[in-house]
Amino acid sequence: LADSIVQSVRMAELLPEWRITCSAGVAAWQGTEDTSEKLLKRVDRALYRAKAGGRDQVSVESAMPSAGDNPMG
């Protein structure tokens, strides 16, 4: 879905004199032990990775927490 959105934005001719781009970060809800705050942090990390990769990128956060994640939130 995210790839489709990024592609649609890329191809849209909203403002002919401007190139419109879109980057997206994606993360999945990890069940009852997850919180909205943790989910949003993962989405944010994925978005910044996508932006660092260049325009029109999608980055998916891995399902496993990284070593730097604090399990207590």
Side-chain angles (χ1 to χ4, degrees):
L1 179 62
D3 285 321
S4 177
I5 293 169
V6 169
Q7 183 177 2
S8 293
V9 169
R10 180 185 318 126
M11 298 181 81
E13 294 184 21
L14 303 172
L15 299 169
E17 65 274 7
W18 294 86
R19 179 175 177 225
I20 307 294
T21 63
C22 178
S23 294
V26 178
W29 180 258
Q30 295 179 356
T32 59
E33 297 299 314
D34 208 356
T35 66
S36 58
E37 183 177 319
K38 290 177 185 178
L39 175 62
L40 289 175
K41 284 181 181 181
R42 292 193 310 275
V43 169
D44 194 49
R45 280 195 305 265
L47 174 59
Y48 278 95
R49 250 193 335 274
K51 291 175 113 178
R55 292 186 169 126
D56 294 330
Q57 299 287 317
V58 175
S59 177
V60 178
E61 182 70 14
S62 66
M64 300 302 294
S66 65
D69 284 349
N70 179 351
M72 300 308 286

